[in-house]
Amino acid sequence: MKSGVVYTETVVHAAPEQFVADAPYQLAIVSLEEGGRLTARIEGERVVIGDRVDFVEGNGIPFFRKA
Amino acid sequence: MRPVAIIGIGKTAFGAFPDRDLRSLAVEAGQKCLADAHVSPSQVEAYYLGNFAGPSFVGQNHLAPYIAGAMGITGVPCTRFEAACASSGSAFYHAVSSVAAGLNDVVLVAGVEKMTSQTTPKVTEILAGAGDTCGEVRAGATFPALFAMIARRHMYQYGTTREMLAAVAVKNHENGAKNPLAHMRKVITMEQALKGKPISEPLTVFDCSLISDGAAAVLIAPLERAPEFTDQPVKVRAVAQTSDYVALDQKDDITTFRAVSAAAQKAYKMAGVTAQDIQFAEVHDCFTIAEIIATEDLGFVKKGEGGPYALAGCTRLTGPLPINTSGGLKSKGHPVGATGVGQICDLVYQLRGEAGERQLARHSLGLAQNLGGSGATAVVTILGVA
């Protein structure tokens, strides 16, 4: 399973048309343990920079959750 | 390479104009520009147009000959340049290249965008097309979200605060209120800026530039021919365009735009000046954090000191380095395709001493910085009195 650390994050209030129903949602750039970074949604508890997060299955969209 | 001059400028007001279509805005700016230089449409040898998303916003393609034809310009190369919010900065770079190379003499460069006929969520979605739609955008990123993540990281690494971001917005509204062509001509207080509606945390509505309609145009020619057209030619001391990855998550350090620093270094070298010689600048404040980072990337202050510099008032009209005397994208408005050439017009108003209430005492060397996306395109232009 992919794990990583939150490099940066935001909570999106003004969403694009296709995600209006999801707002507000948290988005983060995760520095992956295996190397590289990934922009992903955060599920559940809100995270801050430096938090460890684990990958969870998304529906075509990468989701992570606080470890 | 031949030295190049700006011999005329023209701008529409920026704002929400429900009764105006894209073409009429671009035509107005172009005609004002030709009139400023006393040039007829038949003298124009090429038309370079910056436009980000006319096809998405208004369903019109083939924009450059469409607009040029409406001005009576035919039989010459008419081309649209797309580089997100740096579209017309890029058009300017390529137009100057063609005149410098000797391919053309009298060239009209313009930018236009018509955005306000769409709903805000739709505009947000169209603008997101300047990001990586297979990655960050698919995950739900918007441009405010990308710059919010940049802001969070800048705060984390350098201690930048909400007050420092707000100081940029307050200052730009202070300037824009004095600009007759600005979209939102009203001053705001620090308290208002801090308590704005959240758009993408930590950015509020007062950290974000406006969704605007508008157009801008400049006419360029070889410097040696400039006296045929104007008593006040402005010399293009330098123009440089560079690139970086489109996706924010591909950049090693998101607290800096390396395309901007690279373009700035090239431009300073070309002009034979340093950052400390620049007297005033129009920078790409699509979000307040972007202005803070611009002051760092352009070398006006050291990395991490952009926030305190703004908060101390150093970039106000009365400060040592006035930035965005036009009001910036925040208050003047941000019709994205028009922004790059609009910034150049705003430098020219200062250089020619035509900036009215905003006129600076020192106004012989100015810089414009135009940014596309989250830093994948950067254009830096340095203009001086000829």
Side-chain angles (χ1 to χ4, degrees), chain B residues 217-259:
Chain B
V218 299
L219 194 66
I220 60 173
L223 181 63
E224 63 179 17
R225 286 195 59 193
E228 293 173 37
F229 308 100
T230 176
D231 297 332
Q232 285 188 295
V234 163
K235 186 177 179 186
V236 180
R237 296 282 302 267
V239 59
Q241 177 176 337
T242 59
S243 70
D244 197 358
Y245 301 118
V246 164
L248 188 64
D249 56 23
Q250 279 188 276
K251 297 178 180 91
D252 288 339
D253 180 359
I254 66 169
T255 65
T256 180
F257 298 114
R258 63 182 180 179

Side-chain angles (χ1 to χ4, degrees), chain B residues 37-54:
Chain B
H38 311 287
V39 162
S40 69
S42 62
Q43 291 173 275
V44 175
E45 295 167 41
Y47 182 62
Y48 286 65
L49 176 72
N51 171 262
F52 166 53

Side-chain angles (χ1 to χ4, degrees), chain B residues 281-349:
Chain B
E282 289 290 319
V283 309
H284 197 96
D285 60 320
C286 48
F287 301 93
T288 49
I289 185 65
E291 179 167 321
I292 286 173
I293 292 176
T295 58
E296 298 170 353
D297 288 342
L298 294 167
F300 298 148
V301 295
K302 290 196 185 106
K303 192 68 213 157
E305 292 180 3
Y309 194 68
L311 188 62
C314 296
T315 56
R316 294 177 67 194
L317 289 177
T318 50
L321 181 64
I323 288 182
N324 286 331
T325 71
S326 65
L329 286 50
K330 176 71 200 81
S331 166
K332 174 183 61 178
H334 184 27
V336 293
T339 285
V341 166
Q343 290 176 317
I344 290 166
C345 291
D346 289 320
L347 290 186
V348 173
Y349 288 127

Side-chain angles (χ1 to χ4, degrees), chain B residues 1 235-242 260-278 297-298 365 367 380-382:
Chain B
M1 295 270 280
K235 186 177 179 186
V236 180
R237 296 282 302 267
V239 59
Q241 177 176 337
T242 59
V260 173
S261 16
Q265 290 316 312
K266 279 187 175 190
Y268 291 141
K269 193 175 170 196
M270 196 182 297
V273 301
T274 69
Q276 282 60 48
D277 295 322
I278 301 297
D297 288 342
L298 294 167
L365 192 68
L367 178 149
V380 171
T381 304
I382 299 174

